[in-house]
Amino acid sequence: MATPTPHTAVPQHQPKIVADWVDTVARLTRPDRIHWCDGSEEEYQGLIELMLGTGDLVKLNEETHPGCYLHRSDPTDVARVEHLTFVCTHHTHDAGPNNNWMDPVDAKRLMTELFEDCMKGRTLYVVPYCMGPIDSPYSRCGVEITDSAYVAANMKLMTRMGAAALERIAREGNFVKGLHSTGELDPDRRYIMHFPEELSIMSYGSGYGGNALLGKKCHALRIASWQARDEGWMAEHMMLVGVENPRGETHYIAAAFPSACGKTNLAMLIPPESMPGWKIWTVGDDIGWLHPGPDGRLYAINPEAGYFGVVPGTNAQTNRQAYEMITHDTIFTNVAVTADNQPWWEGLDEGTPVTDWRGRPYDPRNGPAAHPNSRFTVAARQNPIYSKMADAPGGVPISAIVFGGRRREFTPLVYQARNWAHGVLVGASVASETTAAATGKVGIVRRDPMAMKPFCGYNFGDYWAHWLSFAGKLEQPPKIFHVNWFRRDSDGRFLWPGFGENLRVLEWIIARCEGRGEAVETPIGYLPTAAALNSAGLDVDAAILEQLLTMVPEAWRKEMTDVEEYIDAFDERTPHDLKVELADVRRRLG
Ligand code: GTP
Ligand code: SPV
Ligand code: MN
C-alpha cells in the first residue's frame, strides 16, 4: 500500500505512535498511496505541480504575481460551517450551550461510516505540524491526515510542517490527531467533529480553511482551549501586535475580534503620515496562546506560521503592506481574475474582473466577482513587518487585551474596563454582525463572547471562570479594552476611517497602560476625552468624534439586559463573580 509518490523526498523517521495511527486510518480509508510530508520546498512545488495537473489550481499571471495560484472551491464549500461543527464530550454540559454536541460514540460511528474506503483512488497525506515556535515549551504538535493536496500545501504555508515537528512528536510521545477527507463535498455529508477528551478531530466533506486546515481553528482553538483550561493557559481568537513608539519602546497588544472583523488589518497596520516614528510589528493575525510568565505578566505566542486572510477590501490604501505581501508566492481561494490572469476582488481600484470566483464570465447580476469570504494563504515570513519576536520561545509580554466587534450603533470607538474581572465581563459581552466567514445570514448581530463563539471547545460558563482565575495568576495582568471601528451613519457610511487611523486608539490604550491618557469614568468603564485622542491630521468632524466617544445610557441599559439573558443561559456554570460584575454595571447605569 505504501508506494512512494514521485515527490516523496528523503525517507524520514516515522515515530511508531504516528505510524500505527496512519496504519489504522489507511485500513479504514483505503488510499492508493501514502505520502509522509517532510515540509520541504521541493515537496511544496510537487504538490503545486500535481494540482496544476488536476485543475485544482490555476496559475496566475507569472509576471505580476510570481508563484501565485488560484483555487476555486466547490461553490457550496466557501466558509466555515458552524451548524455542522460539533464538540463531542461524554457529558453534554461540558460542551455547553455554545457548542453543538453529539455523543462521542455516535459521532465516531457516523464518521467511521463516512471515512470507510473514502480515500480509494486518492493519496493519503500525513502532515506532521508544530503549532508555535518549534523550540517553545508552549507549542503543541499535531498530525493531520488528509486526502487533499490543497490542504497539505496550505498547511505548509500556515504551520511549521514536516520533519522537525515529527521529531518533537517522537520526543514528547503525544500529538493531536486530525483526520480529514474532502469526501464528496456534499453539504449533507459534511461534519467537523472534535473529541477534546482524547485530543482528536475528524472532518469530512469540506476543503475550506477553517473546516479542513485542522491545525487552525480545530486544533489551535477548540482542542487547545480545552487543554489550556486543564493546564492553566489560554487559547484565544486573537491577533498579536508589537506597537513601537517614536522613542523605540514596544508594547504588545492582543486583540480578539470575531471573524472578518479586522484582526489581520490591525496586525499589519500602517501608521498614518501624521504619526511619524511609530512602527508596527506583526506577531500573529488570528490566534494567540497566552501563558502566565515567571514575572507575573501574561505572555503570548502565535501558534501559526502563515496567514489565511480575507481578500476583499485589501488594497493599497487600506493596507498596502498586506496588498504587496500577496503579490507573490500566495495561494488565492475564490477570487476573480482579470483578462490578463491577475487576481481581482471587490475593493481593488484597478483592473477589471472577467471571470468570477466560480469560473463563470463575470456578470454583476450574479453577485460579487470575488466571493466575500475569498482568502489568501501566505507564509508569515513574506510579511515585511513580521516581528523578530514571533519565533521567541517564551512569547511576548502583553500590555493590553482588546475586544471588539462590528456594531453599527452606540458601541463607542474605545473604552477601558475598570479591572480584570470587569474586563472579563466586557469580553463576555462582545457581540458582532455576522460575516461571510461562516455560512448563514450576514449582518445579524449575535453575541460572540471573546470572539470565541464558534471556537471555544467547552462550556462558556467554565471558560469565563477560567478567564476570571487569571486575576490570581498574574501580578501585572494586561489592561482590558473594547473597540469598535464599525459605527455607521444613517446612510450606512462608516463614521471612523479605520485601518491606519486605528493607531490613534492604540496610542491611547498604551498611554492608559503606562498610567497616562486622559479618561472619563462612565458606568461601562473609562472613555477617552476627545482631547486625549491624538487627532493631529485626522480627518473626522469634531461632532462625529464626540458621537464616537459618547456612552448612551438607554442603549447600554438595553444591551446589559441582553448580556444578562445570554450569560444566564449557561446555568450554574456561569461564575457568580461574572454576575456580580454585571449587576454592578447595571447598578451604575441606574
Ligand atoms: P478572520 O481571518 O476571519 O478571523 O478575520 P480578521 O479579523 O483577520 O479580519 P480582517 O482584518 O481580514 O478584516 C475583514 C474585513 O474587514 C476586510 O474586508 C477589511 O478590509 C475590513 N476591515 C478591517 N479593518 C477595518 C477597519 O478598521 N475599518 C473598516 N471599515 N473595515 C475594516
Ligand atoms: C475565521 O473564520 O475566523 C478565519 C478563517 O480566520 S478560518 O480559518 O476559516 O476559520
Ligand atoms: Mn479567525
Side-chain angles (χ1 to χ4, degrees):
M1 178 180 301
T3 358
T5 52
H7 44 268
T8 298
V10 277
Q12 54 186 330
H13 176 64
Q14 300 169 357
K16 187 166 184 319
I17 42 164
V18 182
D20 287 350
W21 178 55
V22 170
D23 201 50
T24 309
V25 170
R27 279 174 216 280
L28 173 68
T29 59
R30 300 279 157 199
D32 281 13
R33 291 165 298 276
I34 294 178
H35 174 107
W36 286 68
C37 292
D38 62 11
S40 64
E41 280 309 313
E42 303 75 64
E43 178 180 74
Y44 178 76
Q45 283 312 322
L47 291 166
I48 297 292
E49 294 303 324
L50 185 80
M51 288 188 279
L52 289 172
T54 56
D56 282 327
L57 287 186
V58 175
K59 190 161 178 44
L60 292 167
N61 188 316
E62 178 63 36
E63 254 143 60
T64 58
H65 290 77
C68 291
Y69 304 92
L70 166 63
H71 172 73
R72 291 193 184 103
S73 77
D74 187 277
T76 70
D77 186 34
V78 294
R80 284 181 295 99
V81 281
E82 296 180 1
H83 61 297
L84 302 175
T85 299
F86 290 78
V87 170
C88 309
T89 47
H90 282 98
H91 300 289
T92 165
H93 284 305
D94 290 337
N98 46 307
N99 283 299
N100 299 313
W101 177 85
M102 201 182 289
D103 184 279
V105 175
D106 297 337
K108 286 267 176 64
R109 188 181 306 122
L110 171 69
M111 296 309 274
T112 303
E113 261 170 44
L114 293 173
F115 274 101
E116 201 175 337
D117 294 344
C118 76
M119 295 189 189
K120 274 192 172 155
R122 303 184 183 186
T123 300
L124 179 160
Y125 296 93
V126 182
V127 181
Y129 61 85
C130 180
M131 299 311 286
I134 196 81
D135 51 359
S136 167
Y138 301 149
S139 300
R140 292 287 185 278
C141 291
V143 177
E144 174 166 359
I145 290 180
T146 177
D147 56 9
S148 163
Y150 168 81
V151 166
N154 274 271
M155 288 293 283
K156 155 75 178 161
L157 300 179
M158 294 297 299
T159 72
R160 288 134 175 119
M161 184 246 257
L166 212 50
E167 272 163 35
R168 185 165 165 158
I169 289 169
R171 199 166 64 240
E172 292 182 330
N174 61 55
F175 63 99
V176 170
K177 294 186 173 80
L179 174 54
H180 169 255
S181 171
T182 50
E184 311 77 23
L185 297 172
D186 174 356
D188 292 331
R189 288 162 58 82
R190 179 175 293 159
Y191 294 99
I192 324 298
M193 300 284 192
H194 301 76
F195 305 93
E197 286 150 343
E198 53 174 64
L199 309 183
S200 80
I201 305 152
M202 294 174 103
S203 164
Y204 189 89
S206 170
Y208 171 75
N211 304 328
L213 309 178
L214 301 187
K216 198 172 174 61
K217 297 300 164 58
C218 301
H219 175 165
L221 287 179
R222 296 195 193 94
I223 299 290
S225 61
W226 180 284
Q227 280 184 295
R229 188 251 321 247
D230 288 351
E231 298 171 7
W233 51 284
M234 308 164 111
E236 300 297 331
H237 192 203
M238 286 178 177
M239 67 97 226
L240 305 168
V241 71
V243 183
E244 185 181 325
N245 68 21
R247 291 186 305 280
E249 301 149 350
T250 303
H251 277 277
Y252 292 92
I253 295 178
F257 309 155
S259 302
C261 291
K263 291 182 300 302
T264 304
N265 278 275
L266 191 63
M268 296 187 68
L269 179 151
I270 299 176
E273 268 168 34
S274 47
M275 292 181 72
W278 287 81
K279 290 185 186 138
I280 294 291
W281 304 105
T282 317
V283 178
D285 84 322
D286 197 44
I287 300 177
W289 284 358
L290 280 51
H291 289 254
D295 58 356
R297 298 187 70 186
L298 190 62
Y299 283 76
I301 62 162
N302 169 18
E304 303 190 276
Y307 312 122
F308 183 64
V310 175
V311 180
T314 309
N315 64 46
Q317 283 69 49
T318 55
N319 193 336
R320 183 172 36 77
Q321 214 116 243
Y323 174 69
E324 282 170 10
M325 174 177 73
I326 59 177
T327 54
H328 67 102
D329 302 298
T330 300
I331 298 177
F332 289 90
T333 300
N334 294 335
V335 294
V337 289
T338 62
D340 65 345
N341 217 23
Q342 295 191 49
W344 194 92
W345 54 84
E346 274 66 22
L348 269 192
D349 37 24
E350 73 266 355
T352 311
V354 297
T355 308
D356 76 4
W357 65 276
R358 295 178 66 161
R360 301 174 298 195
Y362 173 57
D363 179 344
R365 285 170 302 186
N366 288 332
H371 190 276
N373 191 39
S374 49
R375 296 264 166 177
F376 57 77
T377 319
V378 67
R381 67 183 129 75
Q382 276 185 212
N383 175 1
I385 56 161
Y386 189 44
S387 169
K388 284 191 182 64
M389 292 300 286
D391 274 313
V396 295
I398 299 299
S399 300
I401 289 176
V402 182
F403 295 111
R406 275 181 194 263
R407 297 300 297 269
R408 57 174 64 223
E409 290 162 343
F410 83 86
T411 308
L413 180 64
V414 58
Y415 62 97
Q416 182 187 0
R418 308 166 74 84
N419 53 38
W420 182 265
H422 176 226
V424 175
L425 175 68
V426 168
S429 310
V430 169
S432 192
E433 293 163 28
T434 51
T435 65
T439 55
K441 270 221 173 83
V442 166
I444 313 285
V445 175
R446 70 160 181 185
R447 305 237 74 92
D448 192 348
M450 282 80 173
M452 284 286 277
K453 165 69 188 70
F455 308 120
C456 182
Y458 63 102
N459 191 314
F460 262 155
D462 299 334
Y463 172 76
W464 296 322
H466 186 54
W467 262 84
L468 287 168
S469 77
F470 280 76
K473 290 185 183 131
L474 299 168
E475 267 149 53
Q476 279 179 270
K479 302 273 189 280
I480 299 181
F481 299 80
H482 189 287
V483 300
N484 177 23
W485 316 142
F486 298 98
R487 279 278 283 279
R488 299 196 197 219
D489 65 15
S490 49
D491 295 326
R493 282 183 302 243
F494 291 111
L495 293 181
W496 175 250
F499 299 100
E501 305 295 347
N502 295 336
L503 182 57
R504 299 170 192 278
V505 174
L506 299 187
E507 182 183 15
W508 180 76
I509 287 175
I510 288 169
R512 294 295 292 171
C513 293
E514 292 178 343
R516 304 178 290 111
E518 232 187 297
V520 282
E521 190 173 352
T522 80
I524 63 164
Y526 303 100
L527 268 75
T529 57
L533 212 63
N534 175 355
S535 59
L538 174 68
D539 188 17
V540 175
D541 245 47
I544 301 268
L545 198 59
E546 198 59 47
Q547 194 186 338
L548 288 168
L549 299 178
T550 303
M551 196 283 297
V552 186
E554 301 86 272
W556 277 97
R557 277 193 281 270
K558 184 178 173 307
E559 178 75 357
M560 295 321 284
T561 306
D562 270 19
V563 171
E564 182 162 41
E565 202 177 294
Y566 183 81
I567 68 170
D568 280 351
F570 296 84
D571 300 326
E572 74 283 1
R573 304 263 181 145
T574 304
H576 175 73
D577 288 357
L578 193 65
K579 296 187 184 184
V580 169
E581 285 299 328
L582 191 132
D584 238 40
V585 174
R586 295 198 71 167
R587 187 181 42 72
R588 286 196 295 267
L589 279 165

